Amino acid sequence: MGVSNDEFRTALSRLAAGVVLVTAFEAPLDPEGPKGEDVGMTATAFMSVSLDPPLVLVSLRNGSRMDDLLDEQPLWAVSVLSESQRHIAGRFAMKGRISDRLLFEDIPYVRGAATGALLVGGALATLECRTEQRVPAGDHTLVIGRVLTASLPSADGGPLTYFRGRYRQLG
């Protein structure tokens, strides 16, 4: 017995969540080949874990590109998206999407000094992280990262939230 996937999904859709873009840089396989690639994914399962040391957690679907990448290398970043950045969240949440390189093409960003990962311009906050622990949890992996840098690129607007299966604004 137990709850069905649909019942579980419907119940948890009533929990509002902040929306972030998780990014990492995938180094080239061959030093003489292509330069490497930036990877990004939208996440709503993101939270603060500890103040001392500063730790955050993101939940990644097993076998996803980001899960595979962060299993190989420990450096990644998070951009807390503002309500005006709904298009970014939708773009990086698409299944069967085009190359991440093309998805980043018209988004303002800077490259993080500590991780080399992209940080979205105009985000409410950005964090650069190093994986401390990976915890298997059902069909996901919980990645706990130590925060290496934190900045507040924009104070404009409110947070982008996800509630009842849609992106929303507070208020």
Side-chain angles (χ1 to χ4, degrees), residues 12-19 42-44 89 93 159-169:
L12 283 227
S13 76
R14 295 333 194 248
L15 176 64
V19 182
T42 301
T44 56
L160 181 61
T161 60
Y162 193 73
F163 180 71
R164 289 190 170 181
R166 292 186 24 215
Y167 298 116
R168 303 185 185 252
Q169 300 174 350

Side-chain angles (χ1 to χ4, degrees), residues 17-19 80-86 124 155-162 167-171:
V19 182
V80 178
L81 299 180
S82 73
E83 58 196 8
S84 67
Q85 295 176 316
R86 177 186 305 220
L124 295 178
D156 294 336
L160 181 61
T161 60
Y162 193 73
Y167 298 116
R168 303 185 185 252
Q169 300 174 350
L170 288 180

Side-chain angles (χ1 to χ4, degrees), residues 41-47 57-61 137 140-143:
M41 68 160 261
T42 301
T44 56
F46 175 79
M47 63 182 279
L57 175 149
V58 66
S59 180
L60 305 175
R61 183 178 39 82
H140 279 65
T141 300
L142 306 178
V143 179

Side-chain angles (χ1 to χ4, degrees), residues 16-110:
V19 182
V20 302
L21 184 68
V22 179
T23 56
F25 181 73
E26 184 173 34
L29 295 174
D30 177 0
E32 296 185 23
K35 295 190 235 179
E37 191 169 2
D38 295 299
V39 178
M41 68 160 261
T42 301
T44 56
F46 175 79
M47 63 182 279
S48 168
V49 173
S50 168
L51 185 59
D52 187 18
L55 299 174
V56 293
L57 175 149
V58 66
S59 180
L60 305 175
R61 183 178 39 82
N62 291 342
S64 67
R65 184 164 183 203
M66 189 63 72
D67 181 42
D68 292 344
L69 177 55
L70 295 188
D71 193 32
E72 295 173 9
Q73 67 95 353
L75 299 174
W76 46 286
V78 174
S79 296
V80 178
L81 299 180
S82 73
E83 58 196 8
S84 67
Q85 295 176 316
R86 177 186 305 220
H87 65 288
I88 296 172
R91 183 182 293 186
F92 285 90
M94 289 187 305
K95 291 185 177 165
R97 62 187 196 217
I98 58 174
S99 154
D100 283 13
R101 179 181 50 80
L102 296 175
L103 296 178
F104 282 113
E105 206 166 72
D106 63 344
I107 296 173
Y109 63 82
V110 297

